[in-house]
Amino acid sequence: MNIRLEQYKLFYITAVSGSFSEAAKRLYITQSAVSQQIRALENELGVLLFARGRKGATLTPQGQL
């Protein structure tokens, strides 16, 4: 398990903004790119980092760690 700086930045911006869409705006990429990259990170780590919902994305207990 080796998290790259780009993955950490994406994770951090998403966590701070509370939204994949807002993270995408801040990072100048598409919302689907954020979603795909977060999903890939979750698969790599074997945990769910964000709970996704209509009101955005919130960190799961594993994501908070």
Side-chain angles (χ1 to χ4, degrees):
M1 171 173 58
N2 188 15
I3 299 175
R4 295 183 322 269
L5 182 59
E6 297 85 21
Q7 290 174 307
Y8 178 75
K9 180 179 177 182
L10 179 80
F11 169 79
Y12 177 78
I13 296 296
T14 304
V16 169
S17 67
S19 162
F20 286 13
S21 297
E22 184 60 32
K25 288 178 190 176
R26 292 181 185 190
L27 295 166
Y28 302 102
I29 60 176
T30 65
Q31 181 274 331
S32 63
V34 172
S35 181
Q36 289 173 2
Q37 291 180 44
I38 291 292
R39 189 176 331 262
L41 180 59
E42 289 174 330
N43 288 338
E44 184 178 332
L45 297 174
V47 297
L48 188 64
L49 299 171
F50 291 95
R52 293 136 169 100
R54 298 184 116 212
K55 295 187 178 190
T58 57
L59 288 171
T60 62
Q62 296 88 354
Q64 290 177 10
L65 291 175

